[in-house]
Amino acid sequence: MKKFIKSLFSGVIVTSVLLNSINVFASQTQVVKISVGNTIANVNGNDTTLSIAPYIQKSSGAMMIPLRFVSTSLGIDENNIKYNPNTKEISIAYNGKTVKFIVGTNKLIIDGKDFSMLLENKYPIYTEIKNGSTFIPLRSLELAFDNIKIDWENSTKTAILKNELEEKTQINSIPILEISKDKEIEVKQNIPNLTTEERIKQEELLMVQLVNEERAKYDLQPLQISDKLMKTSKEKAEDMAKNNYYSHTSPNGYNMARDLNVAENINLNGGGAEGNMSDWLNSKGHRNNILNKDYKYIGVAISQSDDGTFYAVQQFSDENKWAD
């Protein structure tokens, strides 16, 4: 094992350099609680009074909620909500999508595609204006925007809407790895200061950034970080580190990627983010995973074994079940 690892680094030396900055994303959840017949709504734990209470539409039986109040409370910019009095269209531009409601109709337009708003697939639900406020069906925002989720408390007729927002912060002067041809070195010299959990987390985030930078060169959509795939990638990396193997299939015969139906890149002692990405981009199969136009979600992980060996994992998927 030691001989094999050492041979991977024959003819190279690793030095530490600085990256000016990377963007790190943290999540903040906006929560709105709103009840049928109640003018008191709650936004992130604070009560607020509505001009008119949510209600049940007589013709459809659907719960109707005030569009502008709920949308802005969930974090959608007021300036991205427009009303055209001539066409009676209300449009919302958010999270890369444009959604339109038309007063007096059950039409919902998402990025130019028409949908019919129906309760139980048969009762039309109409967008309405009450006391100067536009009301839309409760479930319409969940349908239109993937990151908005709704829970329902039947006993109190209360809807709980949640939107997980991403806040961008910047980390400056993060050490990364630069590999240059020079001489043979020992494996443990390969990854300076990459032994703490925080340091490893920074390299994992940088790995995602490098993937999306490579995809941008080919006009491919950036991949979204999936918390679920981050966890499964970490499980795979830790399993290889703990059980001292390097394969998509574990010693007990379990193949995580096959079981989860995800694409998987693995690497042994590739170093930090740049070292791993360099190895993967120079391998046709791994590069194809990184540049697959259909993939939407990514998870990454780096784990260190007791003998100092580093294992890296990337997992990719196009399935919405991996969205957070």
Side-chain angles (χ1 to χ4, degrees):
M1 180 69 175
K2 289 289 186 180
K3 183 177 180 182
F4 171 69
I5 295 173
K6 190 174 181 181
S7 70
L8 290 177
F9 295 95
S10 179
V12 302
I13 185 169
V14 180
T15 58
S16 178
V17 297
L18 293 179
L19 178 69
N20 286 335
S21 65
I22 65 169
N23 293 323
V24 178
F25 294 88
S27 296
Q28 177 188 7
T29 302
Q30 299 289 105
V31 180
V32 177
K33 295 183 179 180
I34 195 165
S35 305
V36 174
N38 191 346
T39 56
I40 303 298
N42 186 281
V43 180
N44 296 327
N46 299 311
D47 288 344
T48 186
T49 302
L50 304 174
S51 60
I52 182 171
Y55 59 93
I56 300 297
Q57 189 174 73
K58 292 182 179 179
S59 61
S60 65
M63 179 180 179
M64 305 296 288
I65 60 174
L67 178 151
R68 192 172 293 271
F69 168 78
V70 171
S71 299
T72 54
S73 297
L74 288 173
I76 298 175
D77 193 325
E78 173 85 22
N79 294 323
N80 291 337
I81 303 173
K82 307 291 185 182
Y83 176 62
N84 186 329
N86 296 322
T87 61
K88 295 187 177 180
E89 287 185 353
I90 303 96
S91 64
I92 303 175
Y94 176 65
N95 206 24
K97 291 184 178 180
T98 300
V99 176
K100 294 182 179 180
F101 299 86
I102 303 176
V103 175
T105 77
N106 71 324
K107 183 181 291 188
L108 174 63
I109 306 172
I110 303 176
D111 289 337
K113 296 181 181 179
D114 291 0
F115 298 87
S116 294
M117 298 186 294
L118 303 171
L119 183 67
E120 298 177 357
N121 290 323
K122 57 182 177 180
Y123 302 108
I125 312 171
Y126 301 99
T127 299
E128 297 179 326
I129 292 181
K130 298 281 188 181
N131 290 4
S133 297
T134 302
F135 280 77
I136 58 175
L138 169 65
R139 296 287 175 181
S140 57
L141 290 178
E142 184 180 46
L143 174 64
F145 302 110
D146 296 337
N147 49 311
I148 295 178
K149 306 298 179 184
I150 298 174
D151 293 324
W152 174 253
E153 291 181 355
N154 192 53
S155 60
T156 59
K157 305 296 182 185
T158 298
I160 305 169
L161 299 93
K162 299 178 181 179
N163 186 16
E164 191 171 88
L165 305 175
E166 285 189 331
E167 293 185 331
K168 185 169 68 174
T169 58
Q170 198 171 70
I171 297 178
N172 295 313
S173 300
I174 294 178
I176 58 175
L177 302 176
E178 182 181 77
I179 301 178
S180 59
K181 294 182 178 179
D182 188 9
K183 62 180 182 179
E184 182 172 289
I185 60 168
E186 294 298 324
V187 171
K188 289 187 179 180
Q189 290 178 308
N190 221 19
I191 310 166
N193 304 320
L194 193 56
T195 56
T196 67
E197 181 178 346
E198 179 180 282
R199 167 69 178 165
I200 288 176
K201 186 63 178 177
Q202 290 173 354
E203 290 293 335
E204 290 170 346
L205 292 170
L206 179 56
M207 195 188 302
V208 175
Q209 178 178 314
L210 293 175
V211 166
N212 283 333
E213 287 179 356
E214 188 67 20
R215 290 175 66 87
K217 295 177 184 177
Y218 301 88
D219 295 322
L220 299 174
Q221 65 177 346
L223 300 180
Q224 301 175 42
I225 292 178
S226 163
D227 287 344
K228 300 171 188 176
L229 285 177
M230 293 294 283
K231 291 178 182 177
T232 55
S233 295
K234 180 64 75 175
E235 289 173 6
K236 175 63 178 177
E238 289 179 345
D239 187 56
M240 288 193 293
K242 179 180 178 181
N243 294 295
N244 196 31
Y245 74 94
Y246 175 57
S247 171
H248 294 288
T249 302
S250 69
N252 64 13
Y254 177 62
N255 187 310
M256 175 182 282
R258 183 174 57 214
D259 184 66
L260 298 178
N261 191 32
V262 299
E264 187 177 81
N265 288 346
I266 61 175
N267 201 27
L268 175 68
N269 249 72
E274 285 205 331
N276 286 302
M277 282 296 294
S278 176
D279 290 344
W280 283 322
L281 291 175
N282 285 310
S283 167
K284 183 178 179 180
H286 298 95
R287 182 180 179 84
N288 287 344
N289 283 338
I290 291 171
L291 298 179
N292 189 307
K293 65 181 179 61
D294 295 323
Y295 292 153
K296 300 176 183 177
Y297 309 104
I298 186 174
V300 301
I302 299 172
S303 186
Q304 184 180 17
S305 67
D306 291 339
D307 68 0
T309 303
F310 284 84
Y311 297 83
V313 176
Q314 291 178 325
Q315 292 180 344
F316 309 85
S317 181
D318 61 351
E319 295 183 74
N320 286 333
K321 70 178 182 179
W322 297 109
D324 297 312

